[in-house]
Amino acid sequence: MTGMRIGILTGGGDCPGLNAVIRAVVLSAGRLHGDEIVGFVDGWRGVLDNKSVQLDEERCRDIVQLGGTILGTSRTNPFVSSDGPGQVVRTLTSNNLDAIIAIGGEDTLGVADRLAAHGVKAVGIPKTIDNDLSETEFTFGFDTAVQIATDAVDRLRTTAESHHRVIVCEVMGRHAGWIAAYAGIAGGAAEILVPEIPFEVGEVCERLERRHAGGQFSSIVVVSEGAHPAEGPEADEARHATASETVDAFGHARLGGIGEWLARQIERRTGFEARTTILGHVQRGGTPTARDRVLATRFGVEAVAAVHDADFGMMVALRDGNIVRVPISAATRVPKTLDLTLMDVAAALTG
Ligand code: F6P
């Protein structure tokens, strides 16, 4: 069997399930097609620097359950320098690669899509804990992040009850409220605040006061890192308190801080003692759930099949429970924001 030589990379923020997908690509490519897989280290950085490792079955033994990525990752954008795309092409050519499989979110896959104009043959695999990629119902990594956040909410509840406190739990998700909505519903939070629905601090406090007047003496508020108050002086104040100078190579600001700002507001306005927990990178680390391992594995096998069908410029995706192929350009054009019917469900139960 004479196979192809296929490059693979993991880019952007890591997430649980990346090693499961690497393993699926290596094993299915080798066993079904006799392919060789070349792994670039640290995302597009490794392609620019021509730094790679040969991936085989031996290297992929016992990694399906492992968090992180054995290849490393970075938020490198080859389009930041004018010669970046040329350098990518030189690396792929010098390694005799027939195609590259890019595993990433909107940024990493957006690069793969733009590189098509330079002759790069790429297939994309969607990953991100944020679940904010369009054209796929779920990305792997999300399920694990939600489980971690839900476990945290469960734990916060018992300490909040003991001390009769409000605990604000800030979760990741960038500008999409998927993690907050799922973990908030699963954890029975009193309030769930997401970027898609700007909140009124006064209304949040009134609802908490009503709840406590009704006999509840503690509350969990789940707030997404990208959530913000509706326009007005509070929005300006919150923006100021959470502003970050740091932007990555794709122009994204580092988010964080809304939880602490909100806890201070709640304490000042209601008199309830309030604390904040920022879950941060805990949500990205450690063992993937079985659901994420299976989704990652299905994606990996389908991506190899797409390469063999010369279906370049496509991303594997989940639709109605099936693995399908969609254009990377459609998946990366606009982020997939939260399905707001979830907030209707939440509204029926929160408070
Ligand atoms: O996109 C995944 C994500 O974890 C976001 O939820 C978060 O805003 C961001 O990455 C954090 O990035 P970094 O790991 O660079 O701090």
Side-chain angles (χ1 to χ4, degrees):
M1 194 162 33
T2 349
M4 297 172 115
R5 273 175 66 78
I6 304 171
I8 184 173
L9 62 86
T10 54
D14 72 339
C15 79
L18 285 169
N19 288 321
V21 79
I22 292 168
R23 170 178 173 269
V25 166
V26 172
L27 267 59
S28 69
R31 291 181 184 187
L32 303 181
H33 308 280
D35 298 335
E36 283 176 61
I37 304 294
V38 175
F40 288 98
V41 300
D42 299 341
W44 291 112
R45 174 85 265 145
V47 184
L48 289 176
D49 296 346
N50 197 5
K51 276 176 109 172
S52 63
V53 289
Q54 198 73 25
L55 290 174
D56 55 18
E57 290 211 12
E58 185 53 34
R59 183 65 190 95
C60 293
R61 202 182 299 283
D62 292 336
I63 65 167
V64 69
Q65 79 291 358
L66 201 64
T69 162
I70 60 167
L71 287 174
T73 186
S74 71
R75 297 193 188 277
T76 305
N77 182 357
F79 286 92
V80 165
S81 74
S82 59
D83 192 38
Q87 186 54 46
V88 168
V89 171
R90 284 194 288 281
T91 298
L92 301 185
T93 310
S94 67
N95 282 278
N96 291 321
L97 293 176
D98 298 296
I100 185 145
I101 294 178
I103 306 163
E106 149 200 20
D107 298 327
T108 302
L109 298 183
V111 167
D113 192 44
R114 288 179 71 186
L115 284 168
H118 299 263
V120 172
K121 295 174 177 166
V123 166
I125 299 182
K127 67 88 224 178
T128 164
I129 64 163
D130 302 338
N131 197 36
D132 63 348
L133 258 173
S134 293
E135 303 292 318
T136 184
E137 281 158 7
F138 290 103
T139 51
F140 68 84
F142 172 66
D143 188 62
T144 309
V146 166
Q147 192 55 55
I148 293 168
T150 304
D151 289 346
V153 168
D154 291 347
R155 287 171 188 278
L156 291 173
R157 178 186 304 287
T158 58
T159 173
E161 279 171 359
S162 305
H163 289 266
H164 320 295
R165 285 173 174 159
V166 173
I167 296 192
V168 179
C169 178
E170 181 181 305
V171 299
M172 281 186 167
R174 207 168 257 177
H175 300 295
W178 290 99
I179 299 176
Y182 267 70
I185 291 172
E191 288 286 323
I192 301 171
L193 304 174
V194 296
E196 291 84 351
I197 306 177
F199 60 88
E200 298 284 352
V201 186
E203 289 176 9
V204 172
C205 291
E206 274 169 30
R207 286 195 296 268
L208 290 174
E209 279 170 337
R210 260 202 309 278
R211 175 183 153 85
H212 287 223
Q216 301 285 338
F217 301 112
S218 66
S219 294
I220 301 292
V221 175
V222 173
V223 60
S224 180
E225 62 180 1
H228 50 89
E231 277 316 312
E234 280 148 5
D236 296 339
E237 209 188 293
R239 244 193 307 272
H240 189 68
T242 59
S244 148
E245 311 273 283
T246 323
V247 288
D248 66 19
F250 294 90
H252 302 299
R254 195 179 291 171
L255 300 176
I258 190 67
E260 181 57 18
W261 179 82
L262 182 62
R264 299 288 63 82
Q265 292 286 322
I266 291 171
E267 200 162 63
R268 187 167 61 75
R269 292 173 185 230
T270 64
F272 302 146
E273 195 179 9
R275 293 286 191 277
T276 319
T277 295
I278 301 177
L279 290 188
H281 294 84
V282 168
Q283 294 157 101
R284 292 220 314 245
T287 310
T289 59
R291 183 179 288 271
D292 274 340
R293 295 183 208 186
V294 172
L295 183 58
T297 302
R298 294 175 78 193
F299 279 164
V301 171
E302 182 64 15
V304 170
V307 168
H308 280 272
D309 291 344
D311 222 353
F312 300 120
M314 301 299 274
M315 180 187 90
V316 296
L318 184 73
R319 289 257 185 92
D320 299 327
N322 300 311
I323 306 297
V324 298
R325 301 173 193 170
V326 299
I328 300 178
S329 55
T332 54
R333 198 169 298 132
V334 284
K336 181 185 68 188
T337 51
L338 180 64
D339 169 1
L340 293 182
T341 61
L342 280 166
M343 293 307 285
D344 295 337
V345 170
L349 304 174
T350 47

